[in-house]
Amino acid sequence: MSAQDRPSGYRGYHQVREAREDTELTHVGHGTPCGEYMRRYWQPVALSQELGELPLLVRILGETLVLFRDRSARVGLLHRHCAHRGSSLEYGIVAERGIVCCYHGWHYDVDGTLIRAGSEPPDSPIYHKVVQGAYPVHEHDGIVFAYLGPAGEKPPFPVYDTERRRDARKRAFSITTPCNWLQVYENTQDPIHVLHLHARSSGVQFGAASGVDQVIEYEESPLGMINIQTRHIGRHVWTRTTESILPNANQTGAIWEEAERTTFFQRCAILRWMVPVDDTTTRTIGWRFFGDRLDPRGQDNPCAVGKESIDFIGQTEGERSYEERQRRPGDYEAQVSQRPIAVHALEHRASSDAGVARLRRLLRKRIRQLAAGESVPRPEDFGLGAVPTYTQDTVCEWRGSGDPDEAALRRQGRRVAEAVLQSDRLVPDAREARVRALCEDGAR
Amino acid sequence: MSAQDRPSGYRGYHQVREAREDTELTHVGHGTPCGEYMRRYWQPVALSQELGELPLLVRILGETLVLFRDRSARVGLLHRHCAHRGSSLEYGIVAERGIVCCYHGWHYDVDGTLIRAGSEPPDSPIYHKVVQGAYPVHEHDGIVFAYLGPAGEKPPFPVYDTERRRDARKRAFSITTPCNWLQVYENTQDPIHVLHLHARSSGVQFGAASGVDQVIEYEESPLGMINIQTRHIGRHVWTRTTESILPNANQTGAIWEEAERTTFFQRCAILRWMVPVDDTTTRTIGWRFFGDRLDPRGQDNPCAVGKESIDFIGQTEGERSYEERQRRPGDYEAQVSQRPIAVHALEHRASSDAGVARLRRLLRKRIRQLAAGESVPRPEDFGLGAVPTYTQDTVCEWRGSGDPDEAALRRQGRRVAEAVLQSDRLVPDAREARVRALCEDGAR
Amino acid sequence: MSAQDRPSGYRGYHQVREAREDTELTHVGHGTPCGEYMRRYWQPVALSQELGELPLLVRILGETLVLFRDRSARVGLLHRHCAHRGSSLEYGIVAERGIVCCYHGWHYDVDGTLIRAGSEPPDSPIYHKVVQGAYPVHEHDGIVFAYLGPAGEKPPFPVYDTERRRDARKRAFSITTPCNWLQVYENTQDPIHVLHLHARSSGVQFGAASGVDQVIEYEESPLGMINIQTRHIGRHVWTRTTESILPNANQTGAIWEEAERTTFFQRCAILRWMVPVDDTTTRTIGWRFFGDRLDPRGQDNPCAVGKESIDFIGQTEGERSYEERQRRPGDYEAQVSQRPIAVHALEHRASSDAGVARLRRLLRKRIRQLAAGESVPRPEDFGLGAVPTYTQDTVCEWRGSGDPDEAALRRQGRRVAEAVLQSDRLVPDAREARVRALCEDGAR
């Protein structure tokens, strides 16, 4: 295109525009479409390490709540303000069973039951009327999850197949980001940013191989969607599938992958939930997985993984000076600066935004299903004892003559993804074997 | 009641409710019903010790004002913004008479009269038009009071009988609390919280005797209302009357009382006003009283009493860490965490909230009287030279056989309160004698 | 006037009034009447010294923008949020030509042209649709100026005659003030405040001569308006003309002038723009001029002049403690405390506010002209190579018998101003000669 065909420059005055955020996908309060959708799934609310002997104030989906472990080791998640006169249960006294409001001694069990209303007589009618708002919780491998939806619609707590690996250990972490959840979440269906933000803009921030140009496809999965990234690296073809487990979980492959040796159906390095704290704050909570297979060069740093800390760059504001963040921006700078809530109506999306667009469509579809009274899919384990997922890396040798062209990479990516998607009723070893067989059979 | 009769648990999702505060009792701006009611009484605005040679910015009832002492030692309280062009008189230059705006030299007297309009000629018509907004002030024993109501309705400045005691000395103090005034004020008609918050929740924070269970009654008084708390402690029966002097003053008995020796009509340890700074901030200003009779074990600490400081626990945020405040919450934690303005519509009040409910009804009645054009009662001294009040502690020996039952304690409390209420035209010594006689006569 | 004719005092309750600011003169956002007016002129946006190798976030007229110097040394001023997905270009990577968004590599030239849309193919239709909002900039003697108005209406960049003096050197500075621009600007057409604020209220803050009472006149000028201040100092008569170059520039004479020796058509010590950052913040950016003629006693301090710093008192909050600022308030205290946006409807203006009133009328007239579709005047150089201005100080000997009366001072002021206004098609030396001749001829 010649310069003449382009719009003229210096149009700042004429381009000042205002538009509202897409509330259907971004607002998460009680009663909002997306907030209701989020409330149909188990969500992480805190790390176990945060929960000591004192109550902990937590904030999720626009609600401020009090989380505590009683002296019988049962965990409760209650509405912040005591049903009696409204004092905060963060100042409650943890009891053998439940918690006692400091002000007048109203005593609640972990499910909100009013055990004793302070100085009220035991036969007071108050016991028939009052129950403190409470949510079910489930503590699992260092993370406290809660279900904030309608009492009758609580799904079973899902454990994912990637958690059951014998060759990797987990470490829980959290990262808080001051922007809307969708900006953080959709970044994982935007593989092109890896090339720009994490390689060209800022120097290589992850494995050098991730900076190599790629062929990208997208597919739906039973849990949401995957993107399929295929790259040619030296003698190898590397196919990564990155996964969105709706509404707000993600699995991502080895962050330091260099595609230097063959590997098949190698599972994720991260399982995380981008949890809306409120409309303009997100707390990502999840696990980093560590194991030799995921980290051949020994770049992982488990000691840096924990509360508000992770072992890769660019995830928080405080870790670096403003100047450093300007010189080598990371996900934090790119996402947070999209505004507190990014305004989709002001965007100019192009072909490389296909994954983001698809994820938004899928979320919108589910949100509208729920609003229309239909059920929304929840993770299922098909009797396998864990919910099968679709995240993996496969690196195989390229046996064709010359370098693979784009069509060849696209073919290989699709074949790997198809094998991964179609093997989900098999045990993990069988799935890995199927992908290996496919590669040994076809990559030539 | 069996567990089956109770509401089911885990109802958090179904109990998310929004409601507005009770604006009639909580909003205090100019023109609001409660704000107008407050403006019919003298209110403390600052401690004398705060008023040096420079003007002082003060905030009360939602208005920001400038308080100063001129070079003739007269105190002025003016609207913040100069009537001329709006510069703040906090930057005014204090003069022999009044204050001069820094910007163009407009000179105002303590009553707001425009003495000189800067460079305007002395015969300018501006002098006929302009008077700076000003309020009458009265300085009394270390506290500066102001009257912020209509010019023609200013009541006489009241001095209370408890201030005239020979056996106690006063020390002025202030405490700022970031919540609505009513939360701080109604706490004094909520005697049950003493048992829970100040004894069971946090360990004993005041005299140990205050943690003993009590029989409670409420009565109206000419100044507002009292509560009557009667406890059996060892060989003694202790009856305390705690008083609300409407609209927003309180008198409370000895904070370290242990009921170890008899005493009759012993007067208060605190006289204070819970002054609304604005709708969500309260500044309590008043006097602590010190004397041997009030403090037999020597626990008072006058040195800790002053600007934003008091000699008992749990009144401010800064005095302790968040962890300490969680471990042993005090009034500050219980009150402030009720929300910036507590929402009565979300409460579940029970029998032990009778005093709070009664105080709110009484305030609402007075507020509506004023709004309807009726007059509201103001403190009167009945020609005694001081306004009689109804706060006292009486401890007498229990001479009955066995321990007193609840009915006996209730009877004794009522008799003491009746004597206190009916003796208000007598001099204090005569009132004390009457209570003593009653006890020596009846407590058997 | 006797005290009896004055309004009565203690009227605070009756004078609580609310009123809105004059939005027509004070609001500056895109599409507001005053904002549009401001956008028809070149405005300073930053000091050159602020612009290093990293992008700089600047805020002006309610817009947050990204200013940068590319690796070819061209300066760009772009809308903050990338047209693609909204990430801030403050994290953009500065390129040989223009800047690259960190997130997906969209590359913009300094005029906003989309050079490359990251991974999009070169023939993508996106290039026909997208141009990043951009504004023309002009860097001049240490200050970066921008034109934020409609693309077709950009005026030539004006250089003023006072910048071309051989006997003074310039130093750029900036000062940020947290209040509306008009408060800062109209202060320069309010000569009476100099007497009060800068001499009587706070002690002498500028030259002692500025504290002497003065005769004041106002005149329109081709660029806006001037005020004419004439004082009798010892054997001399001193006539200062202070100038408003609309919409928001000002020139002011020597700040330490003492009128101790004759001088004719001596030019300004400051040329500055009171730039609205937004409705409640102003950034004054301009030059201090230094030279022997302007500073006979050597009181200037060029080292103190720069970013957020100036060599005279009372312009910032941080330079002094609150107590010092109360004891000797300066422009900052007087202006900022007029409220975030001063409320004209609450003012009581008098004869000494004539300059302020006139400036507001003139601004309103121009704002309404523009809103009505008429053109507004812009600075012209009449072929002289620089725009003639009307700021000067003239000190001549008083040769009359006795001291000059007010009428004589008024006559002298008018004659000087007339000569200054009528000589604007002449070169500066000729204008100076004309004023000198006038004084030598007439001042007797």
Side-chain angles (χ1 to χ4, degrees):
Chain A
M1 194 173 79
S2 71
Q4 288 86 328
D5 299 328
R6 303 198 170 192
S8 61
Y10 293 126
R11 302 290 297 171
Y13 174 84
H14 306 280
Q15 299 209 141
V16 172
R17 292 204 315 269
E18 298 286 333
R20 276 214 70 188
E21 64 264 25
D22 182 345
T23 58
E24 191 175 35
L25 299 187
T26 59
H27 287 207
V28 297
H30 194 270
T32 61
C34 182
E36 287 302 305
Y37 175 47
M38 292 278 182
R39 279 168 175 79
R40 295 313 182 273
Y41 298 85
W42 286 93
Q43 298 286 351
V45 293
L47 303 183
S48 296
Q49 71 178 80
E50 296 179 272
L51 198 52
E53 54 182 321
L54 292 170
L56 179 71
L57 217 49
V58 297
R59 191 164 162 79
I60 179 170
L61 296 171
E63 289 180 44
T64 302
L65 303 168
V66 172
L67 183 71
F68 65 97
R69 195 189 303 277
D70 74 11
R71 290 172 185 263
S72 317
R74 297 145 71 236
V75 179
L77 181 64
L78 301 185
H79 281 186
R80 179 183 196 180
H81 294 287
C82 175
H84 175 219
R85 295 272 308 285
S87 290
S88 174
L89 295 175
E90 81 196 272
Y91 299 111
I93 307 303
V94 170
E96 188 62 26
R97 274 180 69 197
I99 194 167
V100 178
C101 178
C102 72
Y103 204 0
H104 303 93
W106 286 33
H107 180 179
Y108 302 106
D109 207 344
V110 291
D111 70 350
T113 298
L114 178 58
I115 295 173
R116 182 74 204 266
S119 290
E120 293 299 312
D123 61 351
S124 165
I126 202 77
Y127 296 103
H128 297 280
K129 288 190 286 189
V130 173
V131 59
Q132 179 73 10
Y135 298 106
V137 296
H138 183 89
E139 194 170 7
H140 176 59
D141 283 1
I143 299 178
V144 181
F145 291 81
Y147 170 73
L148 284 88
E153 301 176 36
K154 188 178 74 176
F157 181 81
V159 176
Y160 294 98
D161 58 359
T162 47
E163 300 183 53
R164 290 281 160 82
R165 274 175 288 171
R166 286 173 306 271
D167 63 348
R169 59 190 190 289
K170 272 166 155 181
R171 203 174 169 107
F173 72 94
S174 72
I175 293 288
T176 297
T177 317
C179 67
N180 185 258
W181 79 279
L182 187 58
Q183 282 144 256
V184 187
Y185 191 48
E186 68 191 13
N187 173 277
T188 63
Q189 287 298 348
D190 177 18
I192 286 169
H193 90 272
V194 177
L195 185 64
H196 293 282
L197 181 63
H198 301 307
R200 295 185 188 165
S201 294
S202 300
V204 174
Q205 297 186 322
F206 298 120
S210 67
V212 171
D213 214 348
Q214 57 196 326
V215 169
I216 305 171
E217 301 273 342
Y218 303 94
E219 288 292 345
E220 283 209 20
S221 82
L223 294 169
M225 66 178 279
I226 58 170
N227 62 63
I228 312 151
Q229 308 168 35
T230 307
R231 291 172 171 89
H232 172 231
I233 313 274
R235 302 178 300 111
H236 293 112
V237 172
W238 166 29
T239 297
R240 159 165 292 187
T241 51
T242 298
E243 180 171 16
S244 297
I245 301 174
L246 263 50
N248 63 328
N250 155 262
Q251 289 194 137
T252 294
I255 59 175
W256 309 115
E257 182 60 47
E258 293 292 7
E260 292 167 320
R261 74 285 170 272
T262 59
T263 189
F264 304 95
F265 199 65
Q266 170 188 297
R267 307 311 303 268
C268 63
I270 305 172
L271 164 56
R272 59 187 164 184
W273 286 256
M274 282 69 166
V275 185
V277 169
D278 50 34
D279 292 350
T280 57
T281 314
T282 303
R283 191 174 186 202
T284 298
I285 301 181
W287 294 284
R288 273 279 281 125
F289 293 96
F290 297 105
D292 292 344
R293 193 176 170 195
L294 290 164
D295 180 34
R297 295 190 187 180
Q299 290 167 279
D300 286 346
N301 181 9
C303 297
V305 173
K307 182 179 172 184
E308 301 303 308
S309 178
I310 194 81
D311 63 335
F312 48 88
I313 207 170
Q315 306 304 304
T316 63
E317 180 167 343
E319 74 194 42
R320 300 184 296 164
S321 70
Y322 181 58
E323 181 180 331
E324 283 177 283
R325 296 190 297 114
Q326 281 194 301
R327 289 192 185 281
R328 299 190 178 275
D331 288 314
Y332 182 93
E333 288 71 37
Q335 293 165 19
V336 171
S337 76
Q338 287 178 298
R339 296 180 177 86
I341 304 180
V343 182
H344 302 165
L346 296 178
E347 294 176 344
H348 290 88
R349 287 181 300 278
S351 63
S352 41
D353 298 296
V356 167
R358 189 163 181 158
L359 179 63
R360 292 181 189 171
R361 279 197 305 274
L362 192 53
L363 286 165
R364 195 181 309 279
K365 183 176 145 192
R366 297 277 172 90
I367 287 168
R368 290 183 178 178
Q369 279 176 340
L370 182 71
E374 297 169 36
S375 66
V376 285
R378 321 247 211 153
E380 279 185 68
D381 75 358
F382 307 126
L384 292 162
V387 177
T389 62
Y390 307 91
T391 317
Q392 59 79 54
D393 283 292
T394 290
V395 177
C396 60
E397 284 186 38
W398 172 249
R399 296 174 194 160
S401 57
D403 282 352
D405 60 8
E406 192 189 311
L409 292 173
R410 191 174 300 275
R411 264 197 314 277
Q412 168 68 0
R414 282 205 182 147
R415 293 173 72 228
V416 171
E418 200 172 305
V420 168
L421 284 162
Q422 289 178 355
S423 62
D424 61 356
R425 308 287 166 124
L426 305 182
V427 296
D429 285 350
R431 296 178 80 187
E432 178 172 343
R434 182 176 285 196
V435 173
R436 176 191 294 265
L438 162 96
C439 287
E440 288 173 351
D441 176 49
R444 58 194 164 207
Chain B
M1 194 171 82
S2 71
Q4 288 86 326
D5 299 328
R6 303 198 170 192
S8 60
Y10 291 126
R11 303 290 298 171
Y13 175 84
H14 306 279
Q15 300 209 142
V16 172
R17 292 205 314 270
E18 298 286 333
R20 276 215 69 190
E21 65 265 25
D22 182 345
T23 57
E24 190 175 34
L25 299 187
T26 59
H27 287 207
V28 297
H30 194 271
T32 62
C34 182
E36 287 302 305
Y37 176 47
M38 292 278 181
R39 280 169 175 79
R40 293 316 182 272
Y41 299 85
W42 286 94
Q43 298 286 350
V45 294
L47 303 184
S48 295
Q49 70 178 79
E50 296 178 273
L51 198 52
E53 54 182 322
L54 292 170
L56 179 72
L57 218 50
V58 296
R59 190 162 162 80
I60 179 170
L61 296 172
E63 289 181 43
T64 301
L65 303 169
V66 172
L67 183 70
F68 65 98
R69 194 188 304 279
D70 74 12
R71 290 174 184 260
S72 316
R74 296 144 71 234
V75 178
L77 181 64
L78 301 184
H79 281 185
R80 179 183 196 180
H81 295 287
C82 174
H84 175 219
R85 295 272 308 286
S87 290
S88 174
L89 295 176
E90 82 195 271
Y91 299 110
I93 307 303
V94 170
E96 188 61 28
R97 275 180 69 194
I99 195 167
V100 179
C101 177
C102 71
Y103 204 0
H104 303 93
W106 286 35
H107 181 179
Y108 302 106
D109 208 342
V110 291
D111 70 349
T113 298
L114 179 57
I115 295 173
R116 183 73 204 267
S119 290
E120 294 298 313
D123 61 350
S124 164
I126 202 76
Y127 296 102
H128 296 280
K129 287 190 286 189
V130 173
V131 59
Q132 180 73 9
Y135 298 106
V137 297
H138 183 89
E139 195 170 6
H140 177 59
D141 283 1
I143 298 178
V144 181
F145 291 81
Y147 169 73
L148 285 88
E153 301 176 35
K154 188 179 73 176
F157 181 81
V159 175
Y160 295 97
D161 58 359
T162 48
E163 301 184 53
R164 292 279 161 83
R165 273 177 287 172
R166 287 173 308 270
D167 63 348
R169 60 192 189 288
K170 275 167 156 180
R171 204 173 169 109
F173 72 94
S174 72
I175 294 287
T176 297
T177 318
C179 67
N180 185 259
W181 78 279
L182 187 58
Q183 282 144 255
V184 186
Y185 191 47
E186 68 191 13
N187 174 276
T188 64
Q189 287 299 347
D190 177 19
I192 285 170
H193 91 272
V194 177
L195 185 63
H196 293 281
L197 180 63
H198 301 308
R200 296 186 188 164
S201 295
S202 300
V204 174
Q205 297 186 321
F206 298 121
S210 66
V212 172
D213 214 348
Q214 57 196 328
V215 170
I216 304 170
E217 302 273 343
Y218 303 93
E219 288 292 343
E220 284 210 22
S221 81
L223 294 169
M225 66 178 279
I226 58 171
N227 63 64
I228 312 152
Q229 309 169 33
T230 307
R231 291 172 170 90
H232 172 232
I233 313 273
R235 303 180 297 110
H236 293 113
V237 172
W238 167 29
T239 298
R240 159 164 292 187
T241 50
T242 298
E243 180 172 15
S244 298
I245 301 173
L246 265 50
N248 63 326
N250 155 263
Q251 288 195 138
T252 293
I255 58 176
W256 310 116
E257 182 59 47
E258 293 292 8
E260 292 167 321
R261 74 284 171 271
T262 59
T263 188
F264 304 96
F265 198 65
Q266 170 187 299
R267 307 312 303 268
C268 64
I270 305 171
L271 164 55
R272 59 188 163 182
W273 287 257
M274 282 69 166
V275 185
V277 169
D278 50 34
D279 292 350
T280 56
T281 315
T282 304
R283 191 174 186 202
T284 298
I285 301 181
W287 294 283
R288 274 278 280 123
F289 293 96
F290 297 105
D292 293 344
R293 192 174 170 194
L294 290 165
D295 179 34
R297 295 190 187 180
Q299 291 167 278
D300 286 345
N301 180 9
C303 297
V305 174
K307 183 179 173 184
E308 300 302 310
S309 179
I310 195 80
D311 64 337
F312 47 90
I313 206 169
Q315 307 303 305
T316 63
E317 179 167 344
E319 74 194 42
R320 300 184 296 165
S321 71
Y322 181 57
E323 181 181 329
E324 284 178 282
R325 297 190 296 114
Q326 280 193 302
R327 289 193 185 281
R328 299 190 178 276
D331 287 315
Y332 182 92
E333 288 71 36
Q335 293 165 18
V336 171
S337 75
Q338 289 178 298
R339 294 179 177 87
I341 304 180
V343 182
H344 302 165
L346 295 179
E347 294 176 344
H348 291 88
R349 289 182 299 278
S351 63
S352 43
D353 299 296
V356 167
R358 188 164 182 158
L359 179 62
R360 291 180 189 171
R361 279 198 304 276
L362 192 52
L363 286 166
R364 196 181 310 278
K365 182 177 146 194
R366 298 276 173 90
I367 287 168
R368 290 182 179 178
Q369 280 176 338
L370 182 71
E374 296 169 35
S375 66
V376 285
R378 322 249 209 150
E380 279 185 69
D381 74 359
F382 307 127
L384 291 161
V387 178
T389 63
Y390 307 91
T391 317
Q392 59 79 53
D393 284 292
T394 290
V395 178
C396 60
E397 283 186 39
W398 173 248
R399 296 175 193 159
S401 57
D403 281 353
D405 60 8
E406 192 189 313
L409 292 174
R410 192 174 301 275
R411 263 197 315 276
Q412 168 67 0
R414 282 204 183 148
R415 292 173 72 229
V416 170
E418 201 173 307
V420 168
L421 286 163
Q422 290 178 354
S423 63
D424 61 356
R425 308 288 166 125
L426 305 182
V427 296
D429 286 351
R431 297 178 79 186
E432 178 172 342
R434 181 177 284 198
V435 174
R436 177 191 294 265
L438 162 95
C439 287
E440 288 174 350
D441 177 47
R444 58 193 162 205
Chain C
M1 194 172 80
S2 71
Q4 288 86 327
D5 299 329
R6 303 197 170 192
S8 61
Y10 292 126
R11 303 288 298 170
Y13 175 85
H14 307 279
Q15 300 210 139
V16 172
R17 292 204 313 270
E18 298 286 333
R20 276 215 69 188
E21 64 264 26
D22 182 345
T23 58
E24 191 175 34
L25 299 186
T26 59
H27 287 208
V28 297
H30 193 271
T32 62
C34 182
E36 287 302 304
Y37 175 47
M38 292 276 181
R39 280 169 175 79
R40 294 315 183 273
Y41 298 84
W42 286 93
Q43 298 285 353
V45 293
L47 303 184
S48 295
Q49 70 179 79
E50 297 178 271
L51 198 51
E53 54 182 322
L54 292 170
L56 178 72
L57 217 50
V58 296
R59 190 163 163 79
I60 178 169
L61 295 171
E63 290 181 43
T64 302
L65 303 168
V66 172
L67 184 70
F68 65 97
R69 195 188 303 278
D70 74 12
R71 290 173 185 262
S72 315
R74 295 144 71 233
V75 179
L77 180 64
L78 301 184
H79 281 186
R80 180 184 195 179
H81 295 287
C82 175
H84 174 219
R85 295 271 308 285
S87 290
S88 174
L89 294 176
E90 82 195 271
Y91 299 110
I93 308 302
V94 170
E96 187 62 27
R97 274 180 69 196
I99 195 167
V100 178
C101 177
C102 71
Y103 203 1
H104 303 93
W106 286 35
H107 180 179
Y108 302 106
D109 207 344
V110 291
D111 70 349
T113 298
L114 179 58
I115 295 173
R116 183 73 204 267
S119 290
E120 294 298 313
D123 61 350
S124 164
I126 202 77
Y127 297 102
H128 297 281
K129 287 191 285 189
V130 173
V131 59
Q132 180 74 8
Y135 297 106
V137 297
H138 183 87
E139 194 170 7
H140 177 57
D141 284 1
I143 298 178
V144 181
F145 291 80
Y147 169 73
L148 284 89
E153 300 176 35
K154 187 179 74 175
F157 181 81
V159 175
Y160 294 97
D161 58 359
T162 47
E163 302 183 53
R164 291 279 161 83
R165 274 175 287 170
R166 287 172 309 270
D167 62 349
R169 60 190 191 290
K170 274 167 156 179
R171 204 173 169 108
F173 72 93
S174 71
I175 293 286
T176 297
T177 318
C179 67
N180 185 259
W181 78 280
L182 187 58
Q183 282 144 257
V184 187
Y185 191 47
E186 68 192 12
N187 173 276
T188 64
Q189 287 299 347
D190 178 19
I192 286 170
H193 92 271
V194 177
L195 186 63
H196 293 281
L197 181 63
H198 300 308
R200 295 186 189 164
S201 295
S202 301
V204 174
Q205 297 186 321
F206 298 120
S210 68
V212 172
D213 214 350
Q214 57 197 327
V215 169
I216 304 171
E217 301 274 343
Y218 303 93
E219 288 292 343
E220 284 208 21
S221 82
L223 295 169
M225 66 178 279
I226 58 171
N227 63 63
I228 312 152
Q229 309 169 33
T230 307
R231 291 171 170 90
H232 172 232
I233 313 273
R235 302 178 301 108
H236 294 112
V237 172
W238 167 28
T239 298
R240 159 165 292 186
T241 51
T242 299
E243 180 172 15
S244 298
I245 301 173
L246 265 49
N248 63 327
N250 155 263
Q251 289 194 136
T252 294
I255 58 175
W256 308 116
E257 182 61 45
E258 293 292 7
E260 292 168 321
R261 73 285 169 270
T262 59
T263 189
F264 304 96
F265 198 65
Q266 170 188 301
R267 307 312 303 268
C268 63
I270 304 172
L271 165 55
R272 58 187 164 183
W273 286 257
M274 282 67 165
V275 185
V277 169
D278 50 34
D279 292 350
T280 56
T281 315
T282 304
R283 191 174 186 202
T284 298
I285 301 181
W287 296 284
R288 274 278 281 126
F289 294 95
F290 298 105
D292 293 343
R293 194 176 168 192
L294 290 164
D295 179 34
R297 295 190 187 179
Q299 291 166 277
D300 286 346
N301 180 10
C303 297
V305 174
K307 183 179 172 184
E308 301 302 310
S309 178
I310 194 80
D311 64 336
F312 48 89
I313 206 169
Q315 307 302 305
T316 63
E317 180 167 342
E319 74 194 44
R320 299 184 296 164
S321 71
Y322 181 59
E323 180 180 330
E324 283 178 282
R325 296 190 297 113
Q326 281 194 302
R327 288 192 185 281
R328 299 189 178 278
D331 287 315
Y332 182 93
E333 288 71 37
Q335 293 165 19
V336 171
S337 75
Q338 288 178 298
R339 294 179 177 88
I341 304 179
V343 182
H344 302 165
L346 296 178
E347 293 176 345
H348 291 89
R349 288 182 298 278
S351 63
S352 41
D353 299 295
V356 167
R358 187 163 183 159
L359 179 62
R360 291 181 189 171
R361 279 197 304 274
L362 192 52
L363 286 166
R364 196 181 309 278
K365 182 177 147 193
R366 298 276 172 89
I367 287 168
R368 291 183 177 177
Q369 280 176 340
L370 183 71
E374 296 169 36
S375 66
V376 285
R378 322 248 209 151
E380 279 185 70
D381 74 358
F382 308 127
L384 291 162
V387 177
T389 63
Y390 307 91
T391 317
Q392 59 79 55
D393 284 292
T394 290
V395 178
C396 60
E397 284 186 38
W398 173 249
R399 296 177 193 156
S401 57
D403 282 353
D405 60 9
E406 192 190 312
L409 292 174
R410 193 174 301 275
R411 263 197 314 276
Q412 169 68 359
R414 283 202 180 149
R415 292 172 73 228
V416 171
E418 199 171 306
V420 168
L421 286 163
Q422 290 179 354
S423 63
D424 61 356
R425 308 287 165 125
L426 304 183
V427 297
D429 286 351
R431 296 178 79 188
E432 178 171 342
R434 181 177 286 198
V435 174
R436 177 190 294 266
L438 162 94
C439 287
E440 288 174 351
D441 176 47
R444 61 192 161 206

